[in-house]
Structures are given as structure tokens and as C-alpha cells.
Amino acid sequence: MERERVSFFCSECGYESGKWLGRCPGCGGWNTFREAPVKRAGSRARSRAGSPLGAAPGAVPGTRIASLTAGHPPELLLGAALTQVERLLTHSGEMDRVLGGGIVPGSVILLGGDPGIGKSTLLLQLAAAVGNGPGMVLYVSGEESRQQVQMRAGRLGISCDHLYFSSDADLDRIQSALESVAPALVIIDSIQTMSHPDLPMLPGSIGQLRECTAELVRLAKLTNFSCFLIGHVTKEGALAGPRVLEHMVDTVLSFEGDSHQNLRLLRAVKNRFGATNEIAVFTMGERGLEEVTNPSALFLDGRAVDIPGSVVVSALEGTRPVLVEVQALVCPTVFGAPRRATTGVDYNRVVLTAAVLEKRAGINLANQDIYVSVVGGLRVVEPAVDLGVALALASNFRNIPVDAGTVVMGEIGLTGEVRAVGQVEQRIREAVRMGFRRFIIPERNLDVSSRYPDLEVIGVKTVREALDRSL
Ligand code: TYD
Ligand code: MG
């Protein structure tokens, strides 16, 4: 079994090659190639085979490992041994919903976000909730000392007897910590600080990231613990490291927010066990993150009514509709080409909407600067907000307010037609809950109105018609 292989690798990016190269084809660096130490091809398998990790409670010692190396005969997919997976509940309704109803045992979840946004805080709170509830937790930090994490826990008012801490960044030693704690949940803060002892590259290099993630995924599936990996993001907002990390894990969560505001959004970018784009809203306060169970109320809080340029739209975030206020400001261009700037809505869709207003509704925006924003820091990418953006622009341009009790939804096509949107009924229900009674919706969606005889539901076919009915 013992196999020796001498090869070379780039000390910068981990690119591997059978021969020494002067310039790395991976990162373009010069003189970065080093000779890899003789790979211990059998060593990992050896250390694993002897590890009690294989002997999880209830298992016949060694069977899990043996099955991994020897292979299993195929089994009936929907056979008699069909088992219901018990998800770990986190005691945060918002968190559980984003995950698709709790944490699936054995799943690996990557959490990305800007430095200082609150990733460690979120997961420490989660760790305590799981530790005080369903199972043992191991928190591994390669970034902070026990004392620092203790101080954070103190600030958050956390007490938990089932929460273990390790500041090790070495995967072999983490593996022994796993063996002694036998956790249901593991938190790795962050994956960029972890290093695999078999690899000579620096922590955070692509090779290390890939290997450490692969190893943790393997261990998680093997012994059925769930694992959160904290990942740093680059300046551009992408998760640092290769995209391949996102393919290796089951779920990718992105933690977003504005450092000037205390609002935080947790979004499921990928989820093998639930809906994507599902969001949870939190506020960061003195005592950590608090969940916002009624985001519509938060986003509409303090809304100025009867101001031209303000329109309430319903945006579907994952499976949940959220009401937000769209604001538009239109003013004559003083100098040069007209400006178009957007916050929280898609720039290109706003430009398109302005062009449609110009051509199909006779609103002359060609010599006007346009600013459109979503209040509260939410980013809505759904085309269903088009009609709201159009009405906000027209309302500000004509200086006529849109009725403050109206919610607008509809996608706009290039011919000025208002196209149908999905989940109209859910959106209407959420708006009714928030006290709205008047709706401007696509004509094609009008069949739902019969179910709401006491509401004023207006179906429109075109943008022009929507303007006529609301301004
Ligand atoms: P942290 O979780 O360390 O962020 P990350 O792990 O994403 O880098 O949180 C950092 C910020 O959160 C820090 O600026 C302080 C703030 N914070 C609070 O406002 N309240 C709190 O209770 C805690 C623990 C942190
Ligand atoms: Mg941190």
C-alpha cells in the first residue's frame, strides 16, 4: 500500500507539478516551486483506521472505517431502512428557517462574510444554543485565544456546560479533539487558518483550503457531526479561496450588513437541504445578535407617508415575502450626462425601467438624474419590484405621492407590459398583516382578488395603466 511520490508544489498557491518549474502556471510567481516531502500516502489511512472516530457510539468498532475503505454493496434507495433525519434545532427560529428547518446532522455549512460583521458572534450564540439543547459542541478557533472567546461569551451572557473550545489550527490535533468531545456540532473559525499536516503550503493557500475542507467534510459524514466553517471574503465580496469550496459543502450562507447600521442579513446562497435565497434578519446590539421576526415592520419603520417618490413593494426573499420601501429621486441634470445610481436594487433593471417609462409612458427622463434606493439595507434582486420602481420614479418626477396604503408588484417588459409575478397570494397576505388594503398587481395575477373581496386589488396590463391608476 505504501506509495512514494516525489513531486513539486508552488509555495504560494499550491499548484502541483511532477517536475520543478521556474514560473508557476497557477499564480505566475517566479521561483516559488519547492520539492514536496515524500507523501505519506498510507499514513492518513493508517491514523484514521486506528482512530476511535470510527467507533462512534453504538457502532461495532472499526466498521465505519472498514466500510469506507472496502466499499459497500449498493443498497435500495427507498428500502426498509428508510430513516427520518432529526435536524438539530438552534433555538433561533430565523436561523433554523434559513437552514431549511434546522441543522442536518453530518452536513457542512460554509458561512462567509466581511471581517467584523459578526460571524464569530453569530456562531458562538448558535454553539451555546445547541450546547444547551440537543448536543455537545466543539468550537475551534485559529484566530482567537480562549480568553478572547471567553470575553465574547461573557458579553453575550452565554453559559453552557456542553461547549468545548480548542485554539488548534492543526487538523490532526482537531481530529483528536473531535475524538475526545464527540460533538454533535463543530465550529471552525476560520477555515483559512486551518492547516493539514500532510501539506507543506501555508494556511489559507488554495491547496490547504481544499484539503482541510475535504477532510472536515469527510469526518463530518463519517461520524455524523454537523460542521460550520467560517470563511473570509475578499474585497469584492466573494468567498476567499476557490469556488470549489462552495461545491464541496452542503450549504453556503452569506452574512451581510452595513457596518454603519446594526442590521444583519443571513442569506442561504446554496442549500442542499432547503430553499436558497432564504433570509434571516438580525440586529447587532450590546448583547449580540437578536433575531428580527417581523422584518417588514423593521423595514417600513419610520416611513414618511405622502411623499412623492416613495412606494411600498413586496419582495420575495426565499420563501418569505418582505415589504420594503423603494425611494426614487429624479432631478434635472445640471452637468454632463445624466446620472443613474442605485442602492439595494439592480442597476440595469432601473435603467431599463427608466427607458420603458420614457418610451411607453411619456415620462421624459433623458435629461434627469435618477437615484433609486431600498430603505433599510435590504438588496432586492427580484424583477417583481420593477413596477414599484417605475411608480416611484414617475411619482417623484410628477411630484404626486402614491397612496401610502398601497403595495405594488409586477415585472416590467420592454414593451411596457406588466408581467405576472409568483406567489401573489403570499405577498398579499403579508401586506394585509402589515395593514395594507390596496394593491396594484399584474392583470394576469388578478384571479386571486376574488378571494379577497374586502381589499382593493387593481390589475394592470401596462406601465401606463399603472400610472393612470395610482398618480
Ligand atoms: P465578530 O463576531 O468578531 O465578527 P467577525 O467574526 O465576523 O469578524 O463581531 C465583531 C463586531 O461585532 C465587533 O465590531 C463588535 C461587535 N459586537 C457587538 O456589537 N455586540 C456584541 O455583543 C458583540 C459580541 C460584538
Ligand atoms: Mg471572527
Side-chain angles (χ1 to χ4, degrees), residues 96-164:
D96 287 342
R97 201 172 37 75
V98 166
L99 292 170
I103 309 171
V104 173
S107 69
V108 178
I109 301 153
L110 183 64
L111 172 71
D114 285 333
I117 200 79
K119 300 182 292 300
S120 305
T121 307
L122 179 72
L123 292 191
L124 189 59
Q125 286 181 275
L126 176 106
V130 172
N132 286 326
M136 214 58 104
V137 182
L138 175 65
Y139 192 109
V140 180
S141 179
E143 308 212 327
E144 289 166 302
S145 65
R146 175 159 170 255
Q147 203 185 10
Q148 283 172 298
V149 179
Q150 259 179 357
M151 273 164 58
R152 179 180 292 123
R155 203 171 149 180
L156 297 170
I158 285 174
S159 67
C160 181
D161 293 334
H162 297 139
L163 175 54
Y164 286 86

